[in-house]
Amino acid sequence: MLRRTFSVLGGKVLVVAEMHNGNVAPSTLAAVTAGLKVGPVSTLVAGKNAAKTAAALANVKGVECVLVAEGEHYEKGMPEEYAPLIASVVKDGYTHIFAGTSAFGKNVIPRAAAKADAMPITDVTEVKDDATFVRFMYAGNVVCTVKTSDPVKYATIRGTSFERAPTEGGSAEIKEVAATKAGGTSRWIEDAIAATDKPDLQTAVNVIVGGRGLKNAENFKLLNDLAEPLKAAVGATRAVVDAGCCPNEMQIGQTGKTVAPNLYLGCGVSGAIQHVAGMKDSKVIAVINNDADAPFFHVADYGLVEDLFVAVPKLTSMVKK
Amino acid sequence: MFQRTLPSLFAATPASWMKVMVGVKRVVDYTVRVRVKGNRIQSEGLKMSVNPFDEIAIEEAIQLKEKKLVGEVIAVTVGNKKAEEVLRTAMALGCDKAIHIVTPEGEAEGLEPLAVAKIFQKLHEEIKPDLWILGKQAVDSDFGTTPQLLAGLLDIPQGTFASKVEVSDGKVRVTREIDTGHQIVELHLPCVIAADLRLNTPRFPKLPNIMKARKKLIDSRDVSSLGVDIRPRLVREAVMEPPPRKAGVKVKSVEELYDKLHNEAKVI
């Protein structure tokens, strides 16, 4: 059945995989789903001991072939190393080069596109056909359908707009590809990653977000208390990240992360255009704000005008019951 | 002229003569909401400003100059006649020179990032800057690709989503904002930096500087003089406003909110 669909589709897709500790990144799984809309999908994994992580990719449903490039210089996802590798692999007749819209994908895909003289299409939310894609502009206020004339199409795929391909049920062939030489013009020094046992913001089923109304970092405890029984991730607006209350990786919005959880609960969030751009595809949006005129009330399915310092603890105790 | 000949005499301190180019784009002000009508984005008559990320790029270049790590900051924009005003702002903030690549009137977002990157590539070959600092994305088209495309075309390293930049000994240490936290990379010069929000807080131009900037000369060139193919690769088949969400309800109490989320929406 799948085979037959493929024969109609003219594309040949390469998804540049992002791996974390041997696991496939959720945005990569969304990129596989997007890729299957235009043709058979191969994935590319590179790094030290890449063969090991390739097994996880080979299990992803829908992937036909996993290309593996061994090399320590790929280990940290440096674009200076990835772009030549992608260029060497593309020669095998790939028509579409996809990656998830993540810090990795946004960094690597445009650089690879430059090598191929192609105009990359970022943060694709819909694949219409092999050359036509939908994306947002102006902080999500304009939906634009573009048709590309580039022979090879480079794109990043918005992770919240496509179902994730299942991580089981696949049986892809694993093929080794020759590693490209290390560039040597850039060097990875270190990653400063906050260790956390909390759910990941971009994949959490529920998300609770704090805005300026939280006032300070300590008050985020209120949100963490509510997040725990809900198994929710906690996010933040730009204002509180800028104020130093939260680390940058918690920022949701046009220039931060995009989330689309089942429940988005905003506390003390006004609902600026830039923030709404990162969460408006959430299934249910609830807002608690003591300012009845906050623009967020126009977006929310359920709005409660009340002091969050009263309402949130109350809600927490109700959820716990 | 002076600056071009000096480095060879003072080879021991080349860093102090670093030349930085900053890209600046004129965009619809980030506080304004654009509308779509008749398959066109209605941007005429709206308030226009310097792209917020480019203000951060300018500020970073000026700060490097104030630390005497940089000798000259050159602002460049690619855009129609009116784009000149963003270069005036850049010079009022402290940029030494400005280059305006003039494009025909047309769509507000101007040329595609690939065309802009190719224009910057030409300028790079001519001016040979040590460092490019660009904004990580323009808030109109939201592509976020020009810095990476430029670095790729020039085959020089890139430090995207930069929240900290340290220059020393011909190298740049860039702290990058990534999905899980921060990453530090070290890049050889020349390289391209893409400024994230947390890199700095841009200053406001002072009135006397605004007046002075009005008199400064802008190196204005027609885009056709560069020999770059600027034809768009992407054809806009349709532009629309996103479907509005259906109107929500205001609840009166926490109890009601819980009830709605639990029994109606069934999300908690």
Side-chain angles (χ1 to χ4, degrees):
Chain A
M1 185 59 203
L2 266 173
R3 285 270 157 208
R4 224 173 47 210
T5 328
F6 284 166
S7 62
V8 190
L9 300 164
K12 189 179 172 194
V13 186
L14 180 72
V15 172
V16 184
E18 183 179 356
M19 309 287 285
H20 295 297
N21 305 322
N23 298 317
V24 190
S27 65
T28 298
L29 296 171
V32 168
T33 302
L36 287 168
K37 292 185 184 294
V38 290
V41 171
S42 297
T43 56
L44 172 68
V45 61
K48 190 170 65 179
N49 302 326
K52 246 189 204 164
T53 52
L57 271 173
N59 282 336
V60 174
K61 209 169 173 186
V63 175
E64 264 199 352
C65 182
V66 179
L67 307 179
V68 184
E70 285 284 345
E72 200 169 348
H73 53 298
Y74 302 124
E75 194 60 19
K76 298 297 174 185
M78 299 291 276
E80 295 82 2
E81 311 297 350
Y82 262 84
L85 175 66
I86 294 166
S88 77
V89 172
V90 169
K91 291 193 191 103
D92 290 338
Y94 290 98
T95 56
H96 295 73
I97 315 298
F98 287 176
T101 305
S102 62
F104 169 79
K106 288 192 283 187
N107 203 20
V108 166
I109 289 292
R111 188 178 176 103
K115 296 233 174 270
D117 188 26
M119 173 58 213
I121 307 168
T122 47
D123 217 7
V124 167
T125 57
E126 196 185 332
V127 176
K128 293 254 189 198
D129 61 44
D130 65 346
T132 317
F133 304 89
V134 179
R135 62 186 298 278
F136 288 106
M137 303 166 65
Y138 290 93
N141 286 311
V142 177
V143 191
C144 189
T145 306
V146 293
K147 190 177 179 124
T148 174
S149 56
D150 286 331
V152 180
K153 289 103 180 141
Y154 290 76
T156 65
I157 305 296
R158 181 176 283 202
T160 53
S161 299
F162 295 85
E163 293 289 326
R164 284 174 220 141
T167 50
E168 274 163 39
S171 54
E173 177 196 357
I174 296 181
K175 243 195 261 177
E176 239 181 86
V177 294
T180 46
K181 259 200 283 172
T185 55
S186 65
R187 192 161 68 98
W188 172 86
I189 306 284
E190 67 171 40
D191 283 349
I193 290 168
T196 174
D197 50 356
K198 296 195 181 102
D200 174 62
L201 195 54
Q202 277 165 301
T203 53
V205 179
N206 298 322
V207 169
I208 301 174
V209 172
R212 221 186 310 239
L214 260 292
K215 291 194 176 77
N216 61 45
E218 288 77 63
N219 290 335
F220 265 83
K221 190 180 175 301
L222 292 178
L223 302 193
N224 290 331
D225 289 347
L226 176 57
E228 215 182 293
L230 289 175
K231 295 188 176 56
V234 177
T237 63
R238 180 192 165 184
V240 295
V241 176
D242 280 356
C245 297
C246 291
N248 66 289
E249 61 267 20
M250 281 172 68
Q251 189 190 327
I252 292 169
Q254 180 187 18
T255 65
K257 287 176 178 166
T258 305
V259 298
N262 280 344
L263 168 65
Y264 169 103
L265 175 63
C267 306
V269 181
S270 68
I273 303 171
Q274 289 76 20
H275 181 70
V276 173
M279 49 64 66
K280 66 184 169 58
D281 292 326
S282 306
K283 288 202 179 71
V284 175
I285 299 172
V287 179
I288 301 172
N289 199 322
N290 57 6
D291 175 10
D293 297 326
F296 222 177
F297 285 113
H298 297 293
V299 181
D301 300 300
Y302 306 108
L304 172 64
V305 182
E306 196 171 328
D307 186 353
L308 72 93
F309 294 103
V310 175
V312 173
K314 219 167 171 184
L315 189 60
T316 304
S317 66
M318 294 176 85
V319 168
K320 277 186 178 160
K321 251 184 246 162
Chain B
M1 263 320 277
F2 189 56
Q3 287 183 0
R4 285 218 183 129
T5 50
L6 261 174
S8 55
L9 299 174
F10 294 101
T13 56
S16 59
W17 296 103
M18 262 178 52
K19 208 186 296 184
V20 178
M21 290 192 78
V22 290
V24 192
K25 188 178 183 183
R26 181 176 180 261
V27 299
V28 174
D29 192 86
Y30 75 97
T31 57
V32 177
R33 184 174 180 164
V34 297
R35 297 278 170 194
V36 179
K37 220 166 110 190
N39 214 17
R40 281 186 63 85
I41 298 163
Q42 305 292 306
S43 52
E44 293 83 19
L46 296 181
K47 186 187 174 201
M48 304 291 281
S49 307
V50 175
N51 178 42
F53 289 98
D54 301 346
E55 289 185 331
I56 297 168
I58 294 169
E59 176 66 29
E60 195 63 20
I62 301 305
Q63 285 186 16
L64 288 172
K65 199 176 133 185
E66 286 167 349
K67 287 179 198 155
K68 307 243 186 292
L69 292 163
V70 162
E72 188 177 43
V73 180
I74 304 166
V76 53
T77 196
V78 180
N80 63 21
K81 287 241 163 58
K82 287 180 192 147
E84 189 187 301
E85 67 195 37
V86 298
L87 291 178
R88 297 281 171 210
T89 306
M91 287 196 289
L93 287 165
C95 293
D96 301 285
K97 287 182 187 164
I99 303 172
H100 184 181
I101 306 302
V102 185
T103 61
E105 297 293 322
E107 294 279 333
E109 303 96 46
L111 303 185
E112 278 175 4
L114 183 63
V116 174
K118 285 180 176 177
I119 289 166
F120 287 0
Q121 180 188 18
K122 289 273 178 197
L123 293 174
H124 184 90
E125 284 156 7
E126 179 193 324
I127 299 166
K128 298 190 172 50
D130 303 277
L131 189 62
W132 282 86
I133 309 181
L134 311 178
K136 80 159 179 178
Q137 79 191 70
V139 296
D140 50 2
S141 57
D142 279 336
F143 271 112
T145 53
T146 307
Q148 300 90 311
L149 285 166
L150 175 63
L153 290 171
L154 292 170
D155 211 7
I156 60 177
Q158 65 193 49
T160 50
F161 326 134
S163 61
K164 194 174 173 191
V165 171
E166 298 156 283
V167 181
S168 68
D169 298 331
K171 286 180 190 144
V172 187
R173 199 172 261 238
V174 182
T175 304
R176 306 179 54 234
E177 294 197 354
I178 58 171
D179 295 331
T180 45
H182 289 95
Q183 177 177 74
I184 302 176
V185 294
E186 190 177 72
L187 313 173
H188 286 246
L189 292 174
C191 67
V192 180
I193 305 285
D196 213 323
L197 281 171
R198 253 76 62 178
L199 184 57
N200 58 48
T201 308
R203 69 193 73 183
F204 292 101
K206 294 195 180 79
L207 187 62
N209 295 348
I210 294 172
M211 304 304 283
K212 262 186 252 167
R214 276 198 199 158
K215 293 193 197 103
K216 284 194 186 171
L217 218 60
I218 289 176
D219 177 358
S220 179
R221 310 178 192 183
D222 196 81
V223 68
S224 58
S225 70
L226 291 166
V228 172
D229 180 5
I230 57 165
R231 275 174 299 180
R233 302 296 182 83
L234 310 180
V235 176
R236 279 192 198 162
E237 297 218 309
V239 285
M240 288 181 278
E241 286 191 12
R245 284 185 79 98
K246 62 171 175 47
V249 293
K250 270 195 185 165
V251 296
K252 290 192 174 60
S253 65
V254 181
E255 286 79 10
E256 198 187 341
L257 179 65
Y258 178 82
D259 177 64
K260 293 274 189 195
L261 292 176
H262 186 70
N263 296 320
E264 194 177 281
K266 297 191 196 312
V267 284
I268 62 175

